[in-house]
Structures are given as C-alpha cells and as structure tokens.
Amino acid sequence: MEIIQVYKCFCDVERLRILNLLMDGPLCVCHLVDILDSEQVKISKQLRYMKEQGMLEDERVAQWKVYRLAEADNPLLQENLKCLQDCYGDLIAFDEDNKKRGEIVARMQE
C-alpha cells in the first residue's frame, strides 16, 4: 500500500467516518447504512473505492457483505488510523457514529 492510496481514502468525510467505524471491528453494509443514515448505493460505492485502494477487505456472510480494515500489520495504514483517532474530537459525527455502532452491536448480542 502506497501513501497516495491512504490519503485518497482520507480526503472524504464519509470515508473517514467509515474507517472510524471499522477500527472497532467489521460491519455489514446494512449497519453502515444505518449508522451513517445514508443510501446503500452511496455507502457501497465508498466501500468499493476503499477496497480498490487496498484499505478494506470484504467477505460474504449469507446474504450480507461484511467489511473490515485490510492489512492490520501495515505500518503506513496503522499510523494514519492513529492520526484519525487523534482527530476524533474534531468531528462530532465520529462520536454519534460510535454511539450508534454500540447500539447496533448490543442489539446483535441480545
């Protein structure tokens, strides 16, 4: 993974929100749509773009497509994700997204 690939993915607020959510573990497209309150087509397009850039991996589980961060041992990606976490307070949406994520995960564990 090259630095330009990482920064191409980091230059869009919606992609940053998706990356923030996936830092805590994999999520289904339907959950991302729910959390981000966006259209499925729009979220799928962003996910496909980040997958093409090497940032994400996906897996089909029954009828769902689940996405997760790729190459957990990639130092370039890890350092930039740490930077994203440092900027956490700058985007109120991150906090709201994480609360919604927590609610969804709690419902799934019931």
Side-chain angles (χ1 to χ4, degrees), residues 31-92:
H31 295 139
L32 290 166
V33 168
D34 212 17
I35 293 167
L36 299 173
D37 193 28
S38 188
E39 298 173 15
Q40 186 269 329
V41 172
K42 189 174 178 184
I43 297 299
S44 292
K45 182 178 176 181
Q46 296 289 14
L47 292 166
R48 184 176 57 251
Y49 178 81
M50 289 190 289
K51 182 181 174 191
E52 289 169 357
Q53 296 301 317
M55 298 284 287
L56 303 179
E57 297 173 350
D58 67 347
E59 148 183 40
R60 181 144 315 265
V61 178
Q63 70 267 26
W64 298 285
K65 202 159 196 182
V66 178
Y67 283 85
R68 67 182 171 281
L69 295 176
E71 301 181 49
D73 61 342
N74 184 307
L76 177 63
L77 177 57
Q78 291 306 309
E79 287 302 313
N80 281 280
L81 288 173
K82 284 180 191 175
C83 181
L84 178 60
Q85 286 179 319
D86 291 342
C87 298
Y88 179 83
D90 294 341
L91 272 176
I92 293 173

Side-chain angles (χ1 to χ4, degrees), residues 9-34:
C9 291
F10 274 60
C11 69
D12 179 89
V13 173
E14 194 162 69
R15 289 194 291 259
L16 288 176
R17 291 174 69 192
I18 291 169
L19 290 169
N20 176 60
L21 288 165
L22 295 178
M23 285 193 293
D24 287 333
L27 284 172
C28 173
V29 174
C30 62
H31 295 139
L32 290 166
V33 168
D34 212 17

Side-chain angles (χ1 to χ4, degrees), residues 14 52 54 100 105 107 110:
E14 194 162 69
E52 289 169 357
K100 289 180 184 177
V105 170
R107 280 194 311 255
E110 293 177 344

